[in-house]
Amino acid sequence: MSRADKILSRSALVARRRALGASGQRVVFTNGCFDVLHRGHLETLRSARALGDCLMVGLNSDASVRALKGAGRPLNGQDDRAHLLAEFECVSHLCLFDEPSVENLIADLRPDVLVKGGDYALEDVVGRQFVEVCGGRVVVVPVWPGVSTTELSNRLRT
């Protein structure tokens, strides 16, 4: 599958999820800004993909990242971030979302498994209650030690 085929509109991603669900495939979902991709991101995505047949990723748009992280962010634009994520073999499909919270996208997709990295506590995972009520499960995968965008940014400043 080409990189361009992985980057979908929100409506196309929802339609693809429905088709995968109808064929009995287990859909895993995660989300993030993925502003400066690093090994921690890759390991989280690999771990997430191992939990199902298809990994869908919600990618915060530039406006959404600014709302969450403040002025000067993102460091990499949404098109660059989307194309880099699409290069990962473990990522099946992705879409951009503009809201500061991923909650509505999770409600639209109804993933079988919702995954976040180990820097989140299970009770703090946005969409957890919705996914669990719908019969899905929520998994927090271990964080890759010593690597985060914030740590990289701090090192660049010193």
Side-chain angles (χ1 to χ4, degrees):
M1 177 179 298
S2 78
R3 171 178 65 217
D5 293 335
K6 289 183 174 186
I7 303 170
L8 304 175
S9 68
R10 185 178 185 140
S11 61
L13 187 70
V14 170
R16 183 75 183 127
R17 192 282 177 256
R18 286 188 185 128
L20 290 166
S23 69
Q25 293 193 46
R26 182 186 268 312
V27 174
V28 180
F29 177 80
T30 194
N31 67 283
C33 298
F34 300 100
D35 191 8
V36 177
L37 283 171
H38 52 71
R39 185 162 182 188
H41 289 132
L42 176 59
E43 296 301 335
T44 296
L45 293 167
R46 283 181 177 162
S47 295
R49 175 61 177 81
L51 297 170
D53 301 304
C54 171
L55 174 60
M56 295 185 166
V57 177
L59 178 63
N60 291 78
S61 70
D62 288 348
S64 178
V65 174
R66 267 190 297 283
L68 291 168
K69 306 282 185 177
R73 297 289 298 274
L75 300 173
N76 290 301
Q78 64 191 32
D79 290 337
D80 290 338
R81 292 181 288 121
H83 283 273
L84 287 169
L85 279 173
E87 287 295 330
F88 289 151
E89 187 177 322
C90 55
V91 174
S92 305
H93 303 287
L94 66 104
C95 81
L96 290 160
F97 68 96
D98 285 319
E99 304 94 335
S101 173
V102 72
E103 198 161 15
N104 290 333
L105 180 56
I106 290 170
D108 289 346
L109 289 174
R110 297 179 179 252
D112 299 303
V113 183
L114 173 61
V115 174
K116 287 302 282 182
D119 49 340
Y120 283 82
L122 187 61
E123 59 272 8
D124 296 331
V125 175
V126 172
R128 177 186 61 83
Q129 291 176 335
F130 178 84
V131 169
E132 290 175 346
V133 164
C134 291
R137 68 185 183 123
V138 179
V139 177
V140 175
V141 297
V143 98
W144 190 260
V147 182
S148 75
T149 302
T150 301
E151 285 178 29
L152 291 171
S153 180
N154 289 340
R155 277 193 260 157
L156 287 172
R157 287 188 193 125
T158 59

